[in-house]
Amino acid sequence: MIDYKNVLTTCPYCGTGCALHLQVLDEKLVGVLPAKNHVVSEGGLCIKGWNVHAFVNHPDRLTTPLIRKNGKLEEATWDEALTLIADKFGEVKTASGPDSVAILTSAKCTNEENYLLQKFARAVIGTNNVDHCARL
Amino acid sequence: MTNSIPEFETDTNCFLIIGSNTSEGHPLIATRVLKAQKRGAKVIVLDPRKNQIGHWADIFHTFRPGSDVAIFNGLMNVIISESLQDEAFIAERTEDFEALKTLVAEYTPEKVAEISGIPADVIREIARTYAKGKPAAILYAMGITQHTTGVDNVKSTSNLAMLCGNMGILGGGVNPLRGQNNVQGACDMGGLPNVYPGYQAVTIPEVQKKFQDAWGSAGPLTVGMTVTEMLHATQEGKVRALYVMGENPMVSDPDLNHVRHCLEQTEFLVVQDIFLTETAEMAHVVLPGTSFAEKDGTFSNTERRVQRVRQAIKPVGDAKEDWIIICELARKMGASGFDFQSAQAVMEEINKLTPSYGGITYERLEELGSLQWPCPTVDHPGTPYLHKGKFSRGLGKFFALEFKEPNELPNDEYPFTLTTGRLMFHFHTGSMTRRSKKLDSEVPEAYVEINVKDAGKIGLNGHKRVRVTSRRGEIELGVRITDDIKRGVVFIPFHFAEAAANKLTNSAIDPVAKIPEYKVCAVKVEVF
Ligand code: SF4
């Protein structure tokens, strides 16, 4: 059986916010269709929008956490990676104060992720050292 | 943006586009502008390069990078001296007009022509076209903000819009076009050192208390560091740990040699991304996040329109949704308040704490497709354009602003002014588009654009590669010789890590917005 679906979503490139359908065949992205009745894109997309699916399954994708050991990044489990970060952030915060930690959120991530990361900075670390690169 | 994209097509009668390469940066907004032009709207484009939309414009002129404030003052000088301003709007809705009037009286078209390189007659023509083209919309992008005078430039755009009564009306306004998909959302959600979600200031004790009550703990009452300050602070050991989600400052930040040095000095660097970016390569721990196709959530576009992102496939390999990673890390550190089961549950908390997002729920987005903030309650229809009837601060304030020179001017050793920007086929630091075969094949490598007369003068003709050097670094790249760029100015797109324009750019920042001056620095161009 072929498993095919179209998933309506928002283009991840520029701030115009065109809508598009991701074509999914057997859990793989195979293409993009524009969204005809969308208020912004009205069935149109630029060349970047038509190609949004292309990078998602690229072989360069990171698929596992990495930890630097003896100067080299080596594969690790989620538990090892998160434990290491939690310990180090905790130690830095205790020894040098919350403002010795700084956090960059992302203009490419979702609202929910940006919300959570600044909440993490302010509520868990206790710092307002949170910014993103979009002023750049 | 104060206004909405669909209004451009239906309502706007005049566009003043400055510092935006709209056709390449925001292609589907450019489409709307050109549709409006077909029904008779006038299109004015000012840019150091004759970009694609410049070729279509009714009035186009190049100008010297960094002279924006002078240009706006010159336009207002003409409008006031020819009595084309909207007196009723000025009287009812604004304050400090007299100070503006006195200051811009000095900026005659002749004086501004000398500063900007736009002839006095063209300044007059633009001023008249804008003033008579109501509703008129100003569109701008990084060409306005990435200057040491970025905040003055932005204030200048609203000075002009208010002068002609173009605020709070359909089809008018000042409209910054955001370069990345969710810049608006990252700011709205408090990804800034001075505000909580919804631009609630960290310095106000009641705000701090509100978040303390909701979260159990909140940030201090003092403003935190900006990205530029963070990087400096790593050098002194004041910042010991840096956590970077989905950003690549190793290509996007100014003065890259300095950035590399700072990141090398960082005691503990965590990078969460989908590729091993130039920044991730320097990290101590790398966490594999997910692309937009592998997660649920929302993005807010440049017109404040909140829209759904829907998961189409499972995360690749062992990667995880970024929101789940943050929650797991918080719980590892013993924090409560991070037990969300879905992105929708996170939005429900956002609804409660962010007044402008109060009524933006997943149920409503499912039904309506999108909602534009402010949308305070679930029965509010959202807000297509801002400042109708009243500004959020009450009266709209005019700012009398003197023109200031950019931080770094050309001289005998570095005779050209470098400006940077985007291309149609690539996005930001290129980590996504350059891995898309089709997009990469369109423009696979970096180049510098230079005026044909300048190229002749320095003996470039016939040469395919050049070296461009600033006070901070040098890069080698291809060259394109063209009529479409102002003499004395060279342009480099910033998507290419191997010939990163930001090795050259100046990290001098605007004193208020802390935006680096990407759009102007002095360079020399040589064959080798
Ligand atoms: S399709 Fe093109 S214009 Fe539309 S949001 Fe994507 S990048 Fe921007």
Side-chain angles (χ1 to χ4, degrees):
Chain A
M1 253 248 312
I2 288 180
D3 180 15
Y4 176 83
K5 60 184 175 185
N6 288 328
V7 178
L8 180 64
T9 191
T10 304
C11 178
Y13 286 128
C14 86
T16 307
C18 297
L20 50 88
H21 295 277
L22 288 174
Q23 300 180 290
V24 187
L25 181 65
D26 292 331
E27 270 294 310
K28 279 244 146 31
L29 296 184
V30 290
V32 169
L33 292 173
K36 208 167 159 202
N37 297 318
H38 187 254
V39 53
V40 176
S41 45
E42 296 181 310
L45 289 174
C46 80
I47 184 169
K48 288 190 288 283
W50 278 108
N51 286 282
V52 288
H53 59 294
F55 71 88
V56 174
N57 288 104
H58 193 279
D60 286 355
R61 277 289 301 269
L62 288 165
T63 54
T64 172
L66 306 171
I67 294 178
R68 187 170 299 278
K69 287 179 185 151
N70 304 320
K72 269 185 59 196
L73 285 169
E74 291 179 11
E75 293 192 359
T77 65
W78 274 103
D79 195 56
E80 285 167 333
L82 292 176
T83 305
L84 176 62
I85 299 168
D87 289 350
K88 188 73 193 181
F89 282 3
E91 180 224 303
V92 170
K93 179 182 160 178
T94 313
S96 310
D99 286 338
S100 50
V101 180
I103 290 179
L104 290 179
T105 69
S106 173
K108 291 202 269 297
C109 289
T110 64
N111 288 328
E112 290 77 359
E113 288 158 349
N114 277 284
Y115 173 83
L116 285 174
L117 194 53
Q118 63 83 37
K119 179 179 177 181
F120 175 81
R122 293 179 163 127
V124 182
I125 304 290
T127 181
N128 286 319
N129 289 343
V130 44
D131 199 4
H132 61 276
C133 293
R135 66 180 79 235
L136 310 176
Chain B
M1 282 169 48
T2 59
N3 289 61
S4 292
I5 295 166
E7 293 167 28
F8 294 160
E9 184 180 339
T10 49
D11 297 278
T12 306
N13 280 327
C14 174
F15 295 88
L16 173 55
I17 301 177
I18 179 162
S20 154
N21 182 358
T22 323
S23 318
E24 300 204 48
H26 301 85
L28 272 93
I29 294 179
T31 307
R32 299 280 185 152
V33 172
L34 296 178
K35 280 188 184 163
Q37 193 183 32
K38 286 221 178 74
R39 70 164 160 74
K42 290 278 177 284
V43 179
I44 305 163
V45 176
L46 294 174
D47 200 273
R49 303 157 63 216
K50 188 161 193 172
N51 50 30
Q52 201 181 343
I53 198 149
H55 283 276
W56 290 92
D58 297 288
I59 308 174
F60 169 82
H61 215 281
T62 55
F63 66 93
R64 180 163 74 90
S67 60
D68 312 66
V69 168
I71 295 169
F72 280 96
N73 286 348
L75 296 175
M76 293 191 280
N77 175 295
V78 175
I79 290 169
I80 295 171
S81 61
E82 300 188 5
S83 296
L84 298 173
Q85 70 270 33
D86 185 336
E87 289 291 357
F89 186 92
I90 295 166
E92 284 158 30
R93 305 248 345 236
T94 68
E95 61 187 2
D96 295 346
F97 176 63
E98 286 308 316
L100 178 87
K101 192 175 166 182
T102 312
L103 181 118
V104 303
E106 310 276 316
Y107 286 81
T108 60
E110 285 69 24
K111 172 171 164 179
V112 173
E114 250 171 58
I115 300 172
S116 68
I118 307 175
D121 283 346
V122 178
I123 293 171
R124 288 197 181 87
E125 190 193 351
I126 294 170
R128 291 174 192 143
T129 307
Y130 176 83
K132 293 175 185 166
K134 204 172 165 179
I138 301 173
L139 275 54
Y140 68 86
M142 298 296 201
I144 279 283
T145 52
Q146 289 176 343
H147 290 280
T148 44
T149 58
V151 169
D152 287 356
N153 292 352
V154 170
K155 285 178 177 163
S156 295
T157 64
S158 70
N159 280 345
L160 178 62
M162 290 197 299
L163 185 68
C164 295
N166 275 316
M167 285 292 219
I169 59 170
L170 211 57
V174 290
N175 300 286
L177 307 180
R178 310 283 187 183
Q180 297 187 61
N181 58 326
N182 205 30
V183 178
Q184 186 68 53
C187 296
D188 296 349
M189 290 300 108
L192 292 168
N194 58 338
V195 288
Y196 286 97
Y199 305 97
Q200 303 174 79
V202 299
T203 49
I204 299 174
E206 297 85 75
V207 170
Q208 185 192 44
K209 171 139 195 329
K210 169 180 169 177
F211 283 92
Q212 240 156 19
D213 291 347
W215 293 345
S217 176
L221 282 169
T222 45
V223 171
M225 294 180 207
T226 64
V227 49
T228 317
E229 290 165 337
M230 288 173 190
L231 290 171
H232 282 290
T234 56
Q235 277 181 303
E236 301 150 19
K238 276 208 328 227
V239 163
R240 294 178 52 202
L242 183 62
Y243 178 10
V244 181
M245 169 174 83
E247 297 273 13
N248 190 11
M250 269 302 293
V251 180
S252 69
D253 278 33
D255 195 355
L256 283 187
N257 291 332
H258 174 71
V259 175
R260 167 172 291 279
H261 180 75
C262 292
L263 293 178
E264 275 166 3
Q265 302 286 306
T266 308
E267 190 182 320
F268 189 62
L269 175 65
V270 178
V271 176
Q272 179 171 322
D273 211 315
I274 61 174
F275 293 115
L276 193 66
T277 60
E278 292 75 13
T279 307
E281 275 170 18
M282 305 182 67
H284 298 93
V285 183
V286 179
L287 301 174
T290 39
S291 74
F292 79 113
E294 299 147 78
K295 61 194 175 193
D296 283 314
T298 54
F299 290 151
S300 301
N301 81 348
T302 190
E303 38 161 17
R304 300 165 281 105
R305 186 185 300 281
V306 183
Q307 312 192 83
R308 277 298 312 276
V309 176
R310 291 185 183 84
Q311 185 170 24
I313 56 169
K314 290 196 206 73
V316 172
D318 214 7
K320 289 189 190 198
E321 290 94 320
D322 298 80
W323 65 268
I324 294 182
I325 300 173
I326 303 162
C327 289
E328 289 186 355
L329 178 61
R331 291 202 299 266
K332 236 320 151 257
M333 293 186 69
S336 56
F338 286 85
D339 302 311
F340 302 97
Q341 296 304 310
S342 63
Q344 180 168 8
V346 181
M347 183 53 98
E348 282 161 15
E349 185 170 310
I350 296 170
N351 296 149
K352 282 189 208 119
L353 294 169
T354 314
S356 52
Y357 276 68
I360 303 181
T361 64
Y362 276 35
E363 290 83 6
R364 292 189 78 201
L365 291 178
E366 214 51 59
E367 187 193 322
L368 300 169
S370 63
L371 277 164
Q372 285 171 281
W373 66 262
C375 176
T377 56
V378 288
D379 44 24
H380 191 286
T383 309
Y385 64 97
L386 300 177
H387 311 312
K388 187 179 177 181
K390 191 169 169 283
F391 288 100
S392 39
R393 69 182 290 274
L395 290 177
K397 188 174 163 57
F398 281 111
F399 293 92
L401 301 163
E402 291 282 6
F403 160 71
K404 296 189 199 87
E405 286 287 356
N407 179 271
E408 190 175 89
L409 292 173
N411 61 10
D412 287 346
E413 197 187 351
Y414 300 100
F416 290 99
T417 300
L418 167 68
T419 188
T420 64
R422 298 170 195 275
L423 298 178
M424 168 85 91
F425 303 103
H426 287 297
F427 179 70
H428 210 56
T429 66
S431 63
M432 296 191 284
T433 46
R434 297 197 70 204
R435 287 188 174 86
S436 167
K437 253 195 218 123
K438 194 105 117 289
L439 296 176
D440 200 46
S441 65
E442 294 282 352
V443 186
E445 63 162 14
Y447 62 87
V448 56
E449 214 171 87
I450 186 168
N451 183 282
V452 59
K453 295 206 182 78
D454 290 333
K457 206 167 130 201
I458 57 174
L460 280 194
N461 295 334
H463 289 270
K464 290 221 170 58
R465 288 185 72 74
V466 293
R467 181 185 300 124
V468 181
T469 312
S470 79
R471 290 183 177 82
R472 290 155 295 276
E474 59 172 54
I475 57 176
E476 294 173 1
L477 70 182
V479 60
R480 285 192 190 180
I481 297 170
T482 168
D483 266 338
D484 286 340
I485 190 161
K486 187 172 172 57
R487 281 202 71 180
V489 179
V490 296
F491 166 82
I492 302 177
F494 68 69
H495 311 289
F496 303 91
E498 67 279 10
N502 286 330
K503 279 192 181 140
L504 310 174
T505 47
N506 188 353
S507 60
I509 56 176
D510 179 281
V512 182
K514 313 275 172 76
I515 300 179
E517 188 145 63
Y518 282 102
K519 293 298 179 192
V520 191
C521 75
V523 296
K524 65 180 163 194
V525 180
E526 303 160 299
V527 294
F528 63 92

